[in-house]
Every structure is written in C-alpha cells, then in structure tokens.
Amino acid sequence: MSDHKQILTQLIEMSRNLGDPSRNLVILGEGNTSAKVDDKTFFVKASGKELRTADENSFVQVSLPPVLETLAGKNLTDEEVKKALSESKSDHSSEIMPSLETFLHAYLLSLPDIRFVGHTHPVAVNSILCSVHSREVIKGRLFPDEIVYCGPAVCYVEYIDLGLPLARHLRKRVEEFMNEQNRPPKVILMENHGLIACGGTSRDVEVITSMYVKAASVLIETYILGGPRFLTPEQVARIDTRPDEKYRQTKTG
Ligand SMILES: [Zn+2]
C-alpha cells in the first residue's frame, strides 16, 4: 500500500472510532479530522460529512502552502474564504469542499511531530468549556495518566468566530504555549466549542481524546465531594520527566 493510501486508511479508521455514537464525542456532522501526507499536502474532512460513516469520499486532499499563506494573510470575507479553500484542493474537479476548520488543521499539521489531528465535541469536555469557571479549572492536572498521555499542560483558546478568525487566534495561543512548554500541545481546548487532540499517529489522537475525556469527567465529578485536589506543579513536573513515564509515552505511538 502506498504511504498516501495508508495514511488515508488510518485517518478513516480514526475518524470512525471518534465518531462512534456510543462514545458521546460527536453527533451528526460535528467534529473534523485531518492527516499530513507530506510537507506539501494533507487530508481533511469534507464539509458536511459525518465522522461515524467516514470513507475515502469523506476527505479532501488539500495543498498545505496556500492554506498557510491565507492564514498568514489579510482578513477575508466569507466568500473569499470559500474561494481560497476551493482553490487549495489538490483535485480541482472534485465537488466536495474542505471543512471550514481546514485553516486550523493546516496550521497544526505544520508543527513538529503532529501528523494526525482529531477535533470532537465531547459532552464531558464541553460541560467544562461551557461553564463560567472553565478558564481556571482547566489549568490543573488530576492524575498521572492524564499527564503521561495529554501532557503537563493544555492549550486554551477563548471563544471567537469560527473559521479563519478562530484559526488565527488558535495559532497565537499555540505559539504562546510552545514558548512556555518548548513543545506543541497534545490537547487544545476551544471555549464553548470542543477538544482538539494532536498526535504523531492516528492512535495517539484516539488515546489523547479518550484520556482527556476521562480527565474531564473526573474533574466534573470531583465537585460532588468538594472540588478537585489538583496535583502540585512539582508533582506534575515529576511525572512528566520520569524515565519510566517517557517509556510509556512512546509505547502509545
Ligand atoms: Zn467543532
């Protein structure tokens, strides 16, 4: 199987798993996914397609450089955004259109070590992201496996208009995160919206999504018994740098 075909097969499987209705991560056409083919191209979910029924026709192959240029360029009207997305398709004869969130997928796939991206709207995560205290509570870590699989910190993006404005604001927050943490984020939380998992493999994205949804469920439940007892920054740093935990992190890949 060619690399290109293999990446698409992995993306389809990841998308179907994330779209499984029993997991409460997305319903209908919610969420989108992407995978990097090489430095020039990537696959992204087409607008209107459902993750749970993903197949070869659910994805559009898009050229990376023009999307990154649009992202770095001037403000565009909705019509101009649509035109830019349409022109970025590798196959101009194809009828399907890339998701409006193609800009943020392109940016994340241009970062080191990120080859697959999965964006979902999990009930547990959105219960937090739609609450008044979301900005404070997402700063704490609750248990070791959350740190091992999702990293010592998450990147938080305040609510902003979807599409190009969101992608630009997300890029700013991710750049700040990388300056502080010296690595790209594994978990990005978009306020009043949802979760993005960034991984080197399709399996990484599934594992990060599952573990962060678990952490979100645990966080909500802690309020029944007086609220969360977050690990201290020293405890978080210790888990993040332990040699045996490093081994576990690589085993998910
Ligand atoms: Zn979304």
Side-chain angles (χ1 to χ4, degrees), residues 30-41:
E30 283 187 318
N32 35 65
T33 51
S34 64
K36 188 171 176 172
V37 176
D38 52 39
D39 288 343
K40 294 246 159 30
T41 58

Side-chain angles (χ1 to χ4, degrees), residues 17-196:
N17 290 341
L18 294 176
D20 178 346
S22 69
R23 298 183 64 191
N24 284 329
L25 303 176
V26 290
I27 58 169
L28 305 171
E30 283 187 318
N32 35 65
T33 51
S34 64
K36 188 171 176 172
V37 176
D38 52 39
D39 288 343
K40 294 246 159 30
T41 58
F42 64 104
F43 288 111
V44 66
K45 196 193 83 165
S47 191
K49 300 284 183 182
E50 295 190 9
L51 290 180
R52 78 185 168 91
T53 54
D55 62 20
E56 284 84 356
N57 301 318
S58 305
F59 297 93
V60 194
Q61 191 169 347
V62 172
S63 178
L64 188 56
V67 180
L68 293 176
E69 268 170 44
T70 303
L71 184 63
K74 60 181 175 64
N75 288 340
L76 300 178
T77 63
D78 290 349
E79 277 310 305
E80 287 169 331
V81 166
K82 219 171 151 191
K83 187 164 174 276
L85 282 175
S86 179
E87 285 172 358
S88 69
K89 292 191 292 187
S90 299
D91 175 6
H92 289 284
S93 65
S94 152
E95 296 274 302
I96 51 176
M97 277 291 289
S99 157
L100 187 59
E101 305 305 356
T102 295
F103 297 105
L104 68 85
H105 283 275
Y107 169 65
L108 293 171
L109 293 171
S110 74
L111 299 177
D113 305 327
I114 299 180
R115 304 195 68 85
F116 286 83
V117 174
H119 163 52
T120 53
H121 301 168
V123 173
V125 176
N126 276 4
S127 298
I128 296 169
L129 294 179
C130 298
S131 76
V132 286
H133 296 301
S134 62
R135 295 178 189 184
E136 294 81 59
V137 297
I138 56 89
K139 288 180 183 155
R141 305 279 72 80
L142 289 164
F143 52 88
D145 278 313
E146 180 192 1
I147 300 158
V148 172
Y149 296 105
C150 301
V154 298
C155 178
Y156 191 86
V157 181
E158 298 81 1
Y159 188 83
I160 192 161
D161 198 22
L162 303 181
L164 200 50
L166 172 60
R168 286 178 175 160
H169 184 52
L170 177 142
R171 180 182 56 179
K172 180 167 174 272
R173 291 290 179 240
V174 170
E175 280 170 3
E176 287 165 1
F177 179 97
M178 291 196 294
N179 284 339
E180 270 173 36
Q181 301 285 331
N182 290 317
R183 61 183 122 178
K186 292 182 177 181
V187 169
I188 301 171
L189 300 174
M190 297 191 289
E191 194 169 85
N192 291 85
H193 183 171
L195 166 73
I196 300 176

